[in-house]
Amino acid sequence: MTDTLPDVTPPAPARPAPRRTTSVRGGGGSPLVYLGALVVVALTLGPVVYGVLGGFRSNAQLADSPAGLPDPWLLDNYRRVLTSPTFWRYALNSTVVAGLTTLLVVVFGLMAAYPLARYRFPGREALYSVFLVGLLFPATVAIIPLFILVSRDLQLGNTWWGVALPQAAFGLPMTVVILRPFLVAIPDELEEAALMDGASRIGFFFRVVVPLSAPATITVGVLAFVASWNAYLLPLLLLQGDMKTLPLGVADYSTQYSSDTAGVLAFTTLAMVPALVFFLAVQRRIVSGLQGAVKG
Amino acid sequence: MRTAAEVLFFVSPALALFLLFVVWPIVKAAQFSLYRWRGFGPLSDFVGLQNYSTVLHDEVFRGAFSHNLFIVVGSIVLQLPLGLAVALLLNRRIRGQGLLRTIVFVPYVLAEVIAAVVWLQLLQPEYGAVDSLLSGVGVPVPDQGWLGSPDRALWTVLIVLTWKYLGLAVLLFLAGLQGVPQDVVEAAEIDGASWWQVQRWITVPLLGPTVRIWVFLSMIGSLQCFDMVWVLTGGGPANSTTTMATFLVNEGTKRHNYGIAAAASVILFVVALFFALAYQLLVLRRDTKGAAR
Amino acid sequence: MKRSPIIPALALVAASVGLAACGSDDSTSADGKTVVTWWHNSNNDPGKSYYEQVAQDFEADHPDVDIKVEAMQHEDMLTKLDAAFQSGDAPDVYMERGGGELAEHVDAGLTKDLSESSADIIGKLGGSVAGWQVDDKTYALPFSVGVVGFWYSKSMMAQAGVTTMPTTWDEMDDTIAQVKAAGMEPLSVGAGDKWPAAHYWYYFAVRECSQDVLTDAVTSLDFSDDCFLRAGQDLEHLVGEEPFNKGFLSTGAQDGPSSASGLLATGKVAMELQGHWEPGVMQGLTDDGLGLGDDLGWFPFPTVEGGEGDPTAALGGGDAWAVSEGAPDAAVDFVDYLLSDEVQQGFAERDMGLPTNPAATGSVKDPALAGLIKVRDAAPYVQLYFDTAFGQSVGGAMNDEIALLFADQASPEDIVSATQDAADAEK
């Protein structure tokens, strides 16, 4: 199944009869390109828009014409969610848990990636492989032992840290994989210069590496934040009552008010906004931050 | 020796976290897999490798394994050309490019639970938006609904997964495209190469390493596929969409056969490891020019 | 998932909640009160508010006790209970569904024996505690026991010209044909969740098998009697008539308007086989909060010609409050209070279930539920849902195979052999 991969030649997308009218540099926008773009947008956003607009409709409207537009537009569903204290409480929990997870992943991940990238020591590759193996293991698989560890052995059930710590641990492999090539790429001259100035390797790390790796750090930070914001199974087992995070709230809401599809869609929409805004605001940086990692 | 101390200083926090929350639970899971255990009380009923044999002979698990393979292959076959096409499109200078990029990433950022809740609404048989739109343009819709027909459900799940994860492929490919040296492209254009030719002979080949990394991540992700299937179909109808992960969660949380669930999780891990190592050997090692057959 | 549908396939029991008794046996709160954590699954009104009120009333009488109530969605509650038992951190008061599940908990020493401490209440409840006894000791107090039967929309049945409800399966076949001929879907079934589909097979088995065979099967786990095969054949015949709603293989039991209960509540199907919690569930599935209201009717599972079971026997089950081993004594007092005349009457008045305390059985307002109580109390025996009775492992295998028969991918023989295999693995 992997046999065609090494020299993969993807079929040209929706290829028209080859026209030799050379496009402008970088291939500007022929109508066909815009049409393609439009199709991509429609298919990508369709379900999301359905959810957002559904929040502006009444249940009767949803039942009568599932694929229709709001008519009239109703603000009630959103108002109800935004004025409910539980929504804000869940949002706070989600934010704190995601914040803690991100902090742990970024700080520990950067520290671990540094020697793996710039030191020569026996067992370096073995250590790297240990983290790599973590990529192969979803939290789902070890969920029962993990639950017992957190709630019984560590007494961290129903706390922010109890969710953030394991999430950070499972986020580390990806972080190390992304950061390592980036740190390798820092020119040796910089390090030599720093050492000439009398800085230690540790000093070099804090004074040069940390500021220089900001783009990559932002990338892993955002990825960790989004993963935590969206996590479901682990919080489900570990959090109760007013410690719940938003995805649990979505699941609760969709059964508690199960006849209220419009309300569920409004709640769902509001729950996804923060992660979206956060990710999309820095998406350019993420693309450049990943550059080192995908060089192979 | 200073080096050793420094390495220890930098690595130990991450390693401690990782050993405690990732490695230790895995070791515990391996231990559970050797016992018949109902989930509470002491581990006392040692059964050796019997749980493994039970899992490997289980029709449902075998089905789940083949569904995982289907998702692995299907994801690559669908997302690779689509992802490349979209990434190349986004790499052109067209109006609204920034907005377009933003839009493509949206599904990837959504929580699986949220995406699944919305898709469940869309895919309701008869009353859902998808069926009303399709009926509207004369496409026949299945009586049992897309997620309710055993012969269609897995395809439907694959389509939803593709929708959700295409953004990741595009994200990585765009990152790779940034590494394509602009001067080479310009030189080719001066020599009269068309945009298509530039993509075919320069850009895409240079994306090779990126594509290979993406295939690796996609493959591992597909083998571990859980959340989306769990919410959309729960593995049904008639076990037509089970995956190894849904099998083990079902055996554990629903049937309380924790020993069997643990054995299944170890098998899943071994399968993922095998795929990863094989891929590493056959593909990522550039010197061994790919598998011949 | 409200009214604890005894979701067979699922895990333990169900119950209710508690915020966080995280970790440790911190059974005293900061202000020196004894803390009792209580998990329940009435996460919709009226149940949710009622239980909050009940907890407050108890606290008013017991100023030194602090009841921490948590209402959870049913499936979440099961997941959390499992996890809580594994980590040795179970809530003080929780829900038990009896049968094999309870036996597992008793074996593992998780559940308190209430035989002595709650003797008065147990005496009052009479025979209904049988499902929650292990070796003649009572481990939980049932607060709602109901039976399964066909719920229907009176107006739709009338529209199809069905004037008298079927009492035999031959009549039922005619009824199904009549409803279909009138252009309506006769039955909804949540086969996506498996257990609602499994109820059909269980009930056919209750009709086909004698009480002795059933009782014996629970203890010996032997399914070789011919009647189990016949139950599957009856079911195969029914599935062959195609009476079910479109998309039944992926239809959920009771969450949302497109679930099996939702389809009945919104007038999309004429009938549904479901437990006693159905009216309460349907109220949550319509905008007006009424469900089908007065349009809702009920009739028992029809009889099977030549069946060896008692024609008035019923399939059912219920929910009971249990106390964790190691919970403070106040938890036992609280459970007794939950079964008191006053609390059970309030429970009955809100149509939250079928009360077991004889002092409350007259308080049920909903005529359909009141009718159910009569059927329940008149039945010579109520067979506990098989998946609950046999425990999750055997029950889960059974449910999976029955769901496959609904998809034409398993035969009556397969159901028996899959169940037997799972049972043999238990021995």
Side-chain angles (χ1 to χ4, degrees):
Chain A
M1 46 172 286
T2 52
D3 42 18
T4 54
L5 284 169
D7 45 354
V8 71
T9 46
R15 190 168 184 168
R19 293 175 312 162
R20 306 282 352 224
T21 52
T22 347
S23 47
V24 283
R25 210 181 83 66
S30 67
L32 199 91
V33 169
Y34 283 112
L35 184 70
L38 204 65
V39 171
V40 170
V41 169
L43 289 177
T44 304
L45 277 191
V48 182
V49 169
Y50 167 84
V52 176
L53 292 183
F56 287 108
R57 308 174 72 198
S58 70
N59 289 305
Q61 291 180 33
L62 280 165
D64 289 345
S65 67
L69 287 172
D71 174 35
W73 288 68
L74 305 165
L75 296 174
D76 252 11
N77 297 314
Y78 285 108
R79 189 178 304 125
R80 249 203 340 263
V81 175
L82 286 173
T83 52
S84 95
T86 40
F87 175 82
W88 292 106
R89 174 72 216 196
Y90 292 172
L92 171 73
N93 294 331
S94 275
T95 309
V96 174
V97 170
L100 291 175
T101 306
T102 307
L103 186 75
L104 291 167
V105 162
V106 168
V107 174
F108 291 2
L110 196 58
M111 284 173 70
Y114 176 61
L116 288 173
R118 307 196 61 91
Y119 281 54
R120 305 219 167 283
F121 59 93
R124 186 178 79 163
E125 291 312 303
L127 190 59
Y128 183 61
S129 309
V130 168
F131 283 112
L132 270 185
V133 167
L135 276 181
L136 306 179
F137 222 92
T140 310
V141 167
I143 200 77
I144 298 294
L146 194 59
F147 172 85
I148 295 173
L149 171 74
V150 173
S151 59
R152 187 177 63 194
D153 303 339
L154 300 175
Q155 298 288 324
L156 287 173
N158 214 32
T159 61
W160 288 329
W161 283 106
V163 179
L165 286 166
Q167 277 181 0
F170 277 90
L172 279 172
M174 188 56 109
T175 308
V176 171
V177 168
I178 291 175
L179 288 180
R180 188 188 183 191
F182 192 90
L183 297 181
V184 168
I186 294 178
D188 288 341
E189 295 79 38
L190 274 180
E191 188 166 353
E192 282 154 22
L195 295 177
M196 298 273 281
D197 292 347
S200 66
R201 298 275 278 281
I202 293 184
F204 169 72
F205 173 77
F206 285 108
R207 268 183 254 156
V208 181
V209 174
V210 172
L212 269 183
S213 29
T217 310
I218 289 175
T219 303
V220 295
V222 170
L223 290 177
F225 188 93
V226 169
S228 165
W229 188 270
N230 292 342
Y232 179 66
L233 190 61
L234 195 64
L236 172 69
L237 290 179
L238 291 172
L239 302 175
Q240 291 115 31
D242 59 5
M243 293 302 291
K244 282 179 185 152
T245 55
L246 279 170
L248 304 186
V250 168
D252 270 1
Y253 197 95
S254 65
T255 52
Q256 210 162 353
Y257 303 95
S258 50
S259 67
D260 181 11
T261 312
V264 171
L265 290 174
F267 194 105
T268 307
T269 301
L270 290 169
M272 70 193 181
V273 166
L276 276 181
V277 169
F278 201 59
F279 184 91
L280 300 176
V282 292
Q283 47 129 334
R284 276 176 186 286
R285 281 176 177 260
I286 293 183
V287 170
S288 39
L290 284 170
Q291 206 188 319
V294 296
K295 277 245 183 71
Chain B
M1 248 13 308
R2 268 200 48 202
T3 306
E6 285 175 19
V7 169
L8 211 59
F9 165 77
F10 281 116
V11 172
S12 51
L15 199 62
L17 199 63
F18 188 77
L19 289 176
L20 181 61
F21 290 103
V22 180
V23 178
W24 175 245
I26 292 172
V27 171
K28 291 299 281 183
Q31 183 195 1
F32 293 162
S33 74
L34 302 176
Y35 290 83
R36 187 156 69 171
W37 189 52
R38 312 291 298 167
F40 26 75
L43 274 186
S44 54
D45 193 356
F46 183 83
V47 294
L49 296 178
Q50 189 194 312
N51 289 328
Y52 289 90
S53 122
T54 306
V55 171
L56 292 172
H57 285 100
D58 190 309
E59 290 289 321
V60 180
F61 185 80
R62 292 177 176 198
F65 179 72
S66 68
H67 300 153
N68 273 117
L69 288 188
F70 175 88
I71 294 173
V72 167
V73 177
S75 296
I76 292 170
V77 168
L78 284 176
Q79 290 177 36
L80 182 60
L82 276 174
L84 269 173
V86 174
L88 292 177
L89 182 82
L90 287 178
N91 212 36
R92 298 172 66 130
R93 294 215 177 77
I94 56 174
R95 236 165 282 152
Q97 186 207 38
L99 178 69
L100 206 55
R101 264 187 186 207
T102 305
I103 286 171
V104 168
F105 297 153
V106 166
Y108 174 58
V109 186
L110 292 189
E112 293 221 353
V113 185
I114 288 178
V117 165
V118 173
W119 274 96
L120 267 181
Q121 295 294 341
L122 285 166
L123 288 167
Q124 288 304 337
E126 285 189 280
Y127 318 112
V130 170
D131 279 12
S132 17
L133 285 174
L134 290 176
S135 315
V137 295
V139 178
V141 295
D143 268 2
Q144 289 279 1
W146 297 99
L147 292 170
S149 324
D151 50 347
R152 287 198 182 80
L154 191 58
W155 280 98
T156 309
V157 169
L158 180 66
I159 301 284
V160 176
L161 283 170
T162 302
W163 172 84
K164 175 93 174 66
Y165 286 104
L166 189 64
L168 175 65
V170 174
L171 187 69
L172 290 171
F173 295 167
L174 277 175
L177 283 171
Q178 290 204 337
V180 175
Q182 209 48 47
D183 47 0
V184 180
V185 173
E186 279 168 20
E189 280 172 347
I190 291 166
D191 291 346
S194 71
W195 184 82
W196 285 118
Q197 287 170 316
V198 172
Q199 305 312 314
R200 168 69 185 84
W201 299 109
I202 299 172
T203 315
V204 172
L206 283 173
L207 268 186
T210 308
V211 169
R212 283 190 285 275
I213 292 265
W214 168 79
V215 166
F216 176 79
L217 292 175
S218 166
M219 194 169 76
I220 298 302
S222 300
L223 285 173
Q224 298 174 349
C225 179
F226 172 76
D227 284 20
M228 189 66 102
V229 174
W230 192 248
V231 181
L232 275 182
T233 66
N239 298 329
S240 62
T241 58
T242 45
T243 65
M244 287 184 280
T246 65
F247 174 88
L248 76 93
V249 171
N250 190 51
E251 281 293 327
T253 58
K254 295 207 174 178
R255 294 197 188 177
H256 286 201
N257 297 329
Y258 285 97
I260 289 178
S265 67
V266 174
I267 292 171
L268 166 55
F269 177 66
V270 170
V271 168
L273 192 63
F274 172 80
F275 268 72
L277 290 176
Y279 189 74
Q280 189 86 27
L281 284 174
L282 299 177
V283 180
L284 293 179
R285 275 256 197 90
R286 292 311 327 267
D287 46 1
T288 52
K289 266 298 275 173
R293 281 164 307 286
Chain C
M1 321 197 175
K2 345 222 106 157
R3 207 82 2 142
S4 152
I6 311 235
I7 293 219
L10 257 143
L12 292 184
V13 169
S16 335
V17 164
L19 289 191
C22 272
S24 72
D25 306 329
D26 48 343
S27 56
T28 47
S29 63
D31 50 8
K33 289 186 179 181
T34 305
V35 174
V36 174
T37 50
W38 177 33
W39 292 9
H40 72 76
N41 65 346
S42 294
N43 64 333
N44 288 359
D45 280 328
K48 195 177 177 195
S49 314
Y50 179 59
Y51 278 159
E52 276 161 17
Q53 186 58 49
V54 166
Q56 281 167 10
D57 293 349
F58 183 82
E59 286 169 346
D61 291 342
H62 302 73
D64 57 333
V65 178
D66 179 12
I67 306 275
K68 292 231 189 288
V69 190
E70 173 135 356
M72 304 189 184
Q73 189 268 322
H74 180 76
E75 307 272 346
D76 282 0
M77 183 179 73
L78 297 177
T79 309
K80 284 219 171 92
L81 267 175
D82 273 0
F85 281 128
Q86 276 147 13
S87 69
D89 185 26
D92 298 325
V93 176
Y94 70 98
M95 223 170 82
E96 272 287 1
R97 294 178 301 179
E101 294 177 11
L102 174 67
E104 272 179 26
H105 297 161
V106 171
D107 284 348
L110 298 167
T111 308
K112 217 187 214 79
D113 175 5
L114 303 175
S115 312
E116 305 289 318
S117 52
S118 306
D120 294 354
I121 298 258
I122 291 170
K124 205 182 245 187
L125 297 176
S128 59
V129 298
W132 288 267
Q133 289 180 321
V134 178
D135 299 334
D136 296 328
K137 293 198 181 75
T138 306
Y139 288 90
L141 309 180
F143 61 90
S144 176
V145 173
V147 294
V148 173
F150 282 100
W151 297 94
Y152 67 94
S153 153
K154 292 177 188 167
S155 58
M156 287 178 79
M157 294 294 257
Q159 204 184 323
V162 179
T163 46
T164 52
M165 294 304 138
T167 55
T168 68
W169 269 95
D170 290 344
E171 291 171 12
M172 184 71 177
D173 291 347
D174 296 343
T175 303
I176 288 171
Q178 250 178 302
V179 176
K180 276 179 106 164
M184 297 185 272
E185 289 186 330
L187 292 160
S188 62
V189 62
D193 281 335
K194 299 189 176 143
W195 57 268
H199 280 177
Y200 278 95
W201 190 85
Y202 303 165
Y203 229 138
F204 276 123
V206 169
R207 292 280 175 263
E208 290 283 8
C209 302
S210 67
Q211 186 179 1
D212 292 347
V213 169
L214 292 177
T215 315
D216 189 48
V218 173
T219 48
S220 67
L221 292 180
D222 172 9
F223 301 93
S224 56
D225 194 289
D226 200 32
C227 67
F228 291 109
L229 196 59
R230 290 201 307 274
Q233 287 159 348
D234 294 340
L235 179 55
E236 204 174 24
H237 168 78
L238 172 65
V239 173
E241 292 178 19
E242 300 190 347
F244 301 113
N245 60 292
K246 277 188 185 163
F248 65 90
L249 289 176
S250 61
T251 301
Q254 47 198 8
D255 48 338
S258 56
S259 65
S261 301
L263 292 172
L264 181 61
T266 55
K268 303 274 197 309
V269 298
M271 300 173 270
E272 185 198 2
L273 180 70
Q274 195 48 287
H276 59 277
W277 53 84
E278 181 74 358
V281 169
M282 291 203 300
Q283 285 163 11
L285 294 175
T286 56
D287 280 341
D288 56 13
L290 296 176
L292 278 180
D294 295 342
D295 191 38
L296 184 65
W298 187 89
F299 63 89
F301 195 87
T303 57
V304 174
E305 192 159 336
E308 293 155 18
D310 186 309
T312 55
L315 174 77
D319 304 318
W321 297 123
V323 178
S324 293
E325 195 58 69
D329 292 344
V332 179
D333 299 340
F334 183 59
V335 167
D336 288 351
Y337 177 66
L338 286 174
L339 268 298
S340 64
D341 297 4
E342 164 197 0
V343 174
Q344 277 265 291
Q345 277 159 2
F347 177 84
E349 282 161 12
R350 288 168 181 75
D351 295 327
M352 288 167 67
L354 277 63
T356 47
N357 183 330
T361 49
S363 309
V364 175
K365 290 220 289 273
D366 184 279
L369 284 182
L372 239 60
I373 293 194
K374 288 196 183 70
V375 172
R376 177 190 81 188
D377 294 341
Y381 58 95
V382 175
Q383 171 61 48
L384 184 61
Y385 312 103
F386 289 3
D387 44 12
T388 308
F390 296 135
Q392 289 93 345
S393 185
V394 178
M398 188 186 263
N399 289 358
D400 283 8
E401 208 64 26
I402 296 169
L404 284 177
L405 188 142
F406 272 73
D408 284 337
Q409 300 196 10
S411 64
E413 292 79 7
D414 291 335
I415 295 175
V416 175
S417 63
T419 306
Q420 192 64 64
D421 289 349
D424 293 344
E426 290 280 282
K427 287 171 187 169

